[in-house]
Amino acid sequence: MGFVKLSLLPVVLGLGMSSVIRAQVSTDCPKVVIDEVDLQGAIHLPGTVKEQLVASLRHREYEENSDWIGDVEDRVGRAETEGWPDRENQGYLGFSVQARWKPLRREPGLLHVLVTIDLDEGQQKRLKAITFRYVEAHLVSTALDSGGLRKLIPLNDGEVYDRDKFYAGLDAVARAYKEQGFIGLTSNVEMQADQTNQTVAIFVELNEGQQYRWGNIQVIGLDPKIETLLRSQLRAGSPVNPKIIEDFYRDNKSVLPVGVSPQSVKWRHDDEHATVNLTFDFL
């Protein structure tokens, strides 16, 4: 019996010390636990998404002195974006989320709270206008003046804003520039929303850069007749146009080696002389 008592004593003491340590740690690092969540304003979020969001927040614990309310807002923002991916294609630009909390009860080292989340999904916006601005001198021919560029964007003034249509048009603008040798074009988009009239004005700032021209063309392992055809389309000194290369590979696929593609062409930029040297290796 004495042996049994001796063997149990450290265990009992150990348990007592462990609970003391846990209580001390809990007191030193107080936590917040979300008991209840009140989600307001998420009109367009599917019901299942809202349920999953609330469930993911309820009973979540944070350190009380952390920016836990900011984390809650970030989680709500991500759920809005992922749960309603077509939001900007339906004209809803921007949204705001604000979370606030109030205490329910406190126990040693743990504060139980109610979190109320106000999600403002905004109102649907229509396109007011798209305006192009130029960072430096506008060098491109009139075929790509502001009017010509605007026609490349399949989104009319007065239409509900559609993100995919706008950026597809912006890609078309970039391609049009590259086909005239402006392969270094960069763009910056600024949007100004009118909350009174529920419209959005878009300003596209373009930096055309310099116009590049074809320089030295090296061709390895191609039939002489096909090589002559290729060189006739890539005349030295003419503006760089990547589409010529893409069309050449597409139109001559049947007579070119298997597996070659425009991506295998090596481009070497000479910024000082604004030229591009190419190497075609068909071996």
Side-chain angles (χ1 to χ4, degrees), residues 54-65:
V54 171
S56 71
L57 293 174
R58 188 178 289 134
H59 307 309
R60 183 173 293 276
E61 288 189 10
Y62 296 93
E63 290 188 7
E64 188 173 356
N65 61 354

Side-chain angles (χ1 to χ4, degrees), residues 138-146 177 180 182 208 211:
H138 180 45
L139 303 176
V140 179
S141 68
T142 54
L144 289 180
D145 60 12
S146 294
Y177 266 96
Q180 293 203 22
F182 292 87
E208 297 171 347
Q211 186 180 41

Side-chain angles (χ1 to χ4, degrees), residues 18-76:
S18 176
S19 62
V20 170
I21 292 173
R22 285 200 302 270
Q24 182 177 358
V25 170
S26 178
T27 303
D28 292 344
C29 302
K31 304 283 187 180
V32 170
V33 60
I34 301 174
D35 282 3
E36 298 295 336
V37 177
D38 181 13
L39 178 61
Q40 301 178 356
I43 299 172
H44 294 88
L45 274 183
T48 54
V49 175
K50 287 190 280 191
E51 292 171 4
Q52 292 171 0
L53 173 60
V54 171
S56 71
L57 293 174
R58 188 178 289 134
H59 307 309
R60 183 173 293 276
E61 288 189 10
Y62 296 93
E63 290 188 7
E64 188 173 356
N65 61 354
S66 68
D67 181 24
W68 64 271
I69 202 70
D71 182 74
V72 169
E73 292 174 344
D74 288 344
R75 291 176 183 275
V76 175

